[in-house]
Amino acid sequence: MAFKDLIDNYSWKEISDRIASMSSVDVECALSKETHTVEDFMALVSPAASAYLEPMARLSRQYTRYRFGNTIQFYIPLYLTNACINHCVYCGFNHNNDIKRIILSDEEILNEVKAIKAIGPFEHILLVTGESPREAGVDYIENAIRLVKPYFSSISIEVQPLKEEEYARLIAAGLNSVSCYQETYRKETYPSYHPKGRKHFYDWRVDTFDRMGRAGIHKMGLGILIGLEDWRVDTTFVAMHLRYLQKHYWKTKYSVSFPRMRPHAGNLFQPNVVMKDRELAQLIFAFRIFDHDLELTLSTRESKNFRDNMTALGITSLSAGSKTDPGGYATYPSALEQFTVNDDRSPDEVLKAVEDSGFDVVWKDWELALQGA
């Protein structure tokens, strides 16, 4: 049985009510444990836990430093195309938006790689595309992986959901990690945010992680888009999904990201839920306490002050110097961004901030030889 079959056993309202009913006793009980259940996670993201941010921060810092040491990993995204068949109401790449669509050629991809290497010794790259199977399908993605592989120790993708055999094919080409955001686990409202395109189909998207797991991916990244639905309930589903995946695909590593909605082209859709910085901090602490080994990522969607503060309190991975437009580093510097970057510091500036916090930046954490390359 896949997670898409199990999720129907849970009621959004019942989980919402359970979170709202959590008391200070439940929070203190969760904080006193060494291992944690999804029920504990609900306590830690509940309104009752907002009064416990300081002890949560201390625990989060303690667990993070014990597991990851004084290190922060840097990565950089490379957007390959903004072509997209989907009509996501919250995204600048929406098929209905009247924008110039760009698909990077081989030469342009390599020019972007050179530009990235010029701004920092990045070894972890995230390849990003819109969802356009005809123009940027698995053939295009595999080719891009092979092009960038000589320059990076770790290659991740954030692209359209693929078939199990397609993930296996990309792994053979050099793929290490896949990130996929469910956007929201609320099945009843999911179609309203994704009215057309392949992304409209909830079950196909939520089943993506099982297909990755069966293909043998090294690491998968989960998350929701914060701003669509009640973040406390949605992230509880992320926690459930994580525990399911860890049980069934125990050889795989996992990461969670925390993208909050940012301004974008069109900008007609406004967030249904606005998450405050204190609430995002609470969520980060909750995930760290829930799972000490989980990699937690914060992108340039967040402000420099917030990212700097979270560096010492639970985050293990940061993007730096990011461009969210295809070809944005060298080829098309004025192309449309998927979302507006909040922290626009250079990699060197982010590096200094991390080091000022007493942490070391990890550009590379393993050798290509160890991957059989």
Side-chain angles (χ1 to χ4, degrees), residues 47 78 142 163 189 273 297 312:
L78 171 55
E142 180 182 23
K163 299 176 183 178
T189 60
V273 179
T297 299

Side-chain angles (χ1 to χ4, degrees), residues 62-75:
Q62 172 188 321
Y63 291 141
T64 305
R65 298 187 82 166
Y66 177 78
R67 173 60 182 84
F68 295 92
N70 293 337
T71 63
I72 296 289
Q73 184 185 93
F74 271 19
Y75 75 94

Side-chain angles (χ1 to χ4, degrees), residues 207-250:
D207 191 50
T208 300
F209 300 90
D210 276 288
R211 298 195 298 275
M212 289 182 214
R214 292 193 298 268
I217 193 65
H218 175 71
K219 183 173 75 175
M220 26 175 130
L222 296 82
I224 58 156
L225 180 59
I226 298 169
L228 298 182
E229 296 288 343
D230 183 340
W231 63 268
R232 303 177 198 274
V233 183
D234 243 339
T235 57
T236 296
F237 277 97
V238 175
M240 290 179 186
H241 203 169
L242 175 65
R243 283 291 186 256
Y244 162 86
L245 292 168
Q246 289 172 327
K247 178 180 178 181
H248 289 82
Y249 311 108
W250 51 270

Side-chain angles (χ1 to χ4, degrees), residues 20 43 47 65 116 121 125 130 170 189 206 237 257 270 287 304 342 362:
R65 298 187 82 166
I116 287 171
I125 191 167
L170 296 183
T189 60
V206 83
F237 277 97
S257 300
Q270 297 301 310
F287 265 111
K304 63 180 182 180
N342 200 351
V362 176

Side-chain angles (χ1 to χ4, degrees), residues 76-92:
I76 193 164
L78 171 55
Y79 280 69
L80 301 175
T81 178
N82 56 8
C84 194
I85 63 171
N86 293 324
H87 295 66
C88 308
V89 299
Y90 49 77
C91 182

Side-chain angles (χ1 to χ4, degrees), residues 84-88 92-99 101 195-196:
C84 194
I85 63 171
N86 293 324
H87 295 66
C88 308
F93 291 176
N94 186 314
H95 183 75
N96 284 335
N97 280 344
D98 185 16
I99 61 172
R101 304 290 174 169
K196 293 181 180 179

Side-chain angles (χ1 to χ4, degrees), residues 111-135:
N111 285 339
E112 292 297 297
V113 168
K114 293 175 185 176
I116 287 171
K117 288 293 186 176
I119 62 173
F122 289 97
E123 289 290 340
H124 294 257
I125 191 167
L126 171 65
L127 303 179
V128 185
T129 70
E131 296 192 16
S132 184
R134 179 179 299 177
E135 298 168 298

Side-chain angles (χ1 to χ4, degrees), residues 348-369:
D348 283 343
E349 291 172 314
V350 181
L351 171 65
K352 184 179 185 305
V354 170
E355 291 179 339
D356 287 347
S357 297
F359 284 69
D360 296 321
V361 168
V362 176
W363 299 95
K364 175 173 68 172
D365 54 6
W366 66 75
E367 294 292 337
L368 283 170

